[in-house]
Amino acid sequence: MQTTVPKNRRGYLGALALILVIVGLYWGLIHAPPDAYQGNAQRIMYLHIPSILTAYLSFFLVFVGSCLYLWKREKRDDILAYSAAEIGVLFTALTIVEGSIWGKPTWGVWWTWDARLTLTAILLLIFVGYLMLRSLIEEESRAASAAAILGIIGFLDIPLIHMSVYWWRTLHQPPSILRPDKAPWDNIHPAMLTALAINFFAFVLLYFYLLSLRFRLGEMTEEIKTRRMDRGR
Amino acid sequence: MQLTVRDLSKAYGLRWALRDLNLDLVPGECVALLGPNGAGKTTLLKLLAGLIYPTRGDVRLNGAPFSRTSTELRSTIGFLTPGEHLYENLTARENLDFFTALYNKNHSSAAIVRALEEVELTDWSREYLSALSSGMKFRLSIAKWQLLEVGLLLLDEPYGVLDGSGINLMEAFLKSQCEKGNVVVIASHHISRVLQLCTRALILHQGKLTFDEPRRQPWDSFERAFADFLPHGGP
Amino acid sequence: METWGYVFLAYGIVWGALLLYLFSLKRRFRRAEMEVAELSSAEELQKHAQK
Amino acid sequence: MKLLRQTYLLLRKDLVLELRRRESLLTMFFFGTLLLFVFHFSFDLVPEKVTEMAPALLWLAFLFTGTLGLTQLFEAERTNHCLDALLLSPMDRGALFLAKTCFNIILMVAVEIVVVPLFWILFNLRSWEGVPLLLGVAFLGTIGFCVLGTLLSGVTLKARARELLLPLVLFPLMVPVILATIRCMEAILRNGNIGDAVPWLRLLLGFDVIFVTVGILIFDWAIDV
């Protein structure tokens, strides 16, 4: 799976991501109208929804990298899984931070056991477990295989976690209007929708820019390692 | 049992344990694998046994390469290391029963008793393995591999634990294996003993195969090749 | 406006963290590039030495 | 079938070893009962609240006891490099996975069968008619726990500080099993049968089925290098 973006193309990707981010900021903060109920606090949604989806995207890439690695045993796929996991942890952690900041003005508390926040917290724990597992196994190929298996199991478990957390959530507290977990795209102001869309693409492009950078870095460290070994003999 | 190794390399972290090794073993050969500590002898044995996978190159048994699914191929490989591959809390007899069943060899109980007799462990058969000395444990693994009828036998430093009669027992066992057309590879530091036994000698140095010749009398090329490992002189 | 405070807090943390990560990535990236360059030049030297 | 024959063989070997030394069984049993007391003191349970809290207390006690079993699972294979002996043999890696999973299930079920009645006595609950169904649900939960636990126990076998790493990696993935089992148990205690917790039961069954198949297919890479 060729994701190594040559030097200049990565520059374009970075520049495009930057532009979209700025446009997204403009739309999200200024152009889009405040929400009827939550006022301006609702503008955090333009960050929250895209970063959740990016977190899911990175989990999917870890899964793809892990499967490819186990199947073909190529270092490249392992680097992809590792890079996706590293960036995935960052986005998942940010998602939780946004979620709790959004919760303060809306419900008056920093943390509610809202289905989406709980789910993101569990995702973060799985990611942390993934990175801890990788760092605690010395031998390279063994660490890669172990991480690959955890990547696959983690991904397969997400739908089950998703279901159980949502059922558990609806059991305790039926979703009310004010709750941010109602589907944001029904009866929503068109300007808000476009702001959301722009921010979403900005996040995805930024994610792939970071991923290609981290992936290239991974490849270079690998190259340095093999070169240093060969020179050693 | 025919074994071919093509430009085999194995790296641990930043260090090459084995570099571009090529080897062909034909049935009936008894190979001595010599070299200083850390030359990669155990790594090579583990690669031949399929316990670890090579970084580059491949190992083929009877033409079939090792892979995850080649479980049938594994029933022809034996790995003999002093005090290993036996369950400490099972009795000697239970160990043999377990492994013969695992390898799907339906030996009669009499055959197992006879195997124990041959290695002089009859009155220890009901003892836990932990009660046996390391020499006796090694005799038990000889009985084990005798029952499992493997085509390739790999031994890692067998001479360390055996007493006089144990060594004769083992060498008789290995000779019978070679006569049956199996391949034996012995990694050892007891050069004098292992040279008498083997039909071919390999010398490994820093992961590279520096010497590979069949045995002949007198063997001056071997003396020269092995000279730079000996402190000064030596056997 | 109290809610604007939260919005800026959220945006600040998110974009701050992302920029921080980008800079750390760039720094690691540049250091790796230097090492590759240094290694390849060392190899050239070795090749000349052997010729 | 070769897989089942080898699984039986490995399982019998593990049971013989365990019955001979009884390390895991006894420690797990006493740890289970210990947790009951600890929970009782820490929650200071009023009789009415006990039936409501009983499922969570029981199930958490079983999970922590099970984790003890998981960390000891490959102990017999670590001495004398017996794991290499198994990997060397024509053993189907899935058989090792099934055998170890069944072994840990047997241990946990043994603990559960003793601890649940003990719980009833200690907390002097009157209605005993829900107990067999409760044990049935606990069994399904135990399968899910042991399947994923054995898989991750194999994965973390060669890691440093693996006793710490295993629970950290395992418990986030256990959320569906924890929630489903406790919800089913509550339903049983409340109205004598599964009743409205049927979707949870389906989730639990789905979890077990998915990860048994995944385990058999993927355990090879976990244990082999």
Side-chain angles (χ1 to χ4, degrees), chain B residues 111-122:
Chain B
I112 294 177
V113 167
R114 214 177 319 112
L116 278 169
E117 260 157 46
E118 267 156 39
V119 286
E120 296 140 17
L121 283 177
T122 349

Side-chain angles (χ1 to χ4, degrees), chain A residues 22-202:
Chain A
I22 294 165
V23 169
L25 281 177
Y26 165 71
W27 270 81
L29 289 179
I30 302 145
H31 195 278
D35 181 67
Y37 302 98
Q38 299 168 22
N40 289 313
Q42 201 259 351
R43 293 182 191 285
I44 300 178
M45 178 185 79
Y46 304 127
L47 275 185
H48 197 48
I49 308 288
S51 52
I52 286 179
L53 298 176
T54 339
Y56 275 80
L57 173 65
S58 56
F59 230 103
F60 175 68
L61 284 176
V62 170
F63 175 70
V64 167
S66 305
C67 289
L68 287 173
Y69 179 75
L70 285 187
W71 178 37
K72 293 214 295 297
R73 277 236 172 262
E74 270 173 32
K75 202 69 189 107
R76 205 160 44 81
D77 305 317
D78 176 48
I79 296 172
L80 171 67
Y82 190 27
S83 320
E86 191 175 286
I87 302 173
V89 169
L90 178 65
F91 274 93
T92 319
L94 291 180
T95 313
I96 295 177
V97 167
E98 295 149 13
S100 67
I101 294 175
W102 191 355
K104 191 73 177 96
T106 334
W107 307 316
V109 281
W110 286 109
W111 177 263
T112 66
W113 288 96
D114 150 71
R116 231 200 335 252
L117 276 186
T118 330
L119 198 59
T120 331
I122 295 172
L123 267 189
L124 182 65
L125 287 173
I126 297 175
F127 262 133
V128 164
Y130 177 91
L131 293 175
M132 285 283 287
L133 177 70
R134 212 185 246 286
S135 63
L136 281 176
I137 297 179
E138 282 92 10
E139 227 216 283
E140 263 297 305
S141 62
R142 219 187 277 274
S145 320
I149 288 178
L150 187 58
I152 291 171
I153 300 174
F155 184 77
L156 292 178
D157 207 11
I158 287 181
L160 294 169
I161 298 176
H162 200 281
M163 270 195 285
S164 50
V165 167
Y166 270 81
W167 288 352
W168 165 69
R169 181 93 235 83
T170 46
L171 190 69
H172 277 282
Q173 194 189 352
S176 63
I177 311 143
L178 272 179
R179 303 283 310 295
D181 63 1
K182 69 173 175 36
W185 40 85
D186 51 23
N187 60 38
I188 184 168
H189 193 285
M192 285 190 193
L193 206 54
T194 33
L196 190 60
I198 297 170
N199 271 298
F200 171 70
F201 285 113

Side-chain angles (χ1 to χ4, degrees), chain B residues 85-123:
Chain B
H85 297 179
L86 291 168
Y87 280 94
E88 207 60 19
N89 298 321
L90 288 179
T91 67
R93 176 60 196 271
E94 281 166 350
N95 265 298
L96 292 185
D97 291 339
F98 173 69
F99 280 106
T100 38
L102 192 65
Y103 278 69
N104 208 357
K105 299 264 189 269
N106 29 43
H107 283 299
S108 66
S109 165
I112 294 177
V113 167
R114 214 177 319 112
L116 278 169
E117 260 157 46
E118 267 156 39
V119 286
E120 296 140 17
L121 283 177
T122 349
D123 41 24

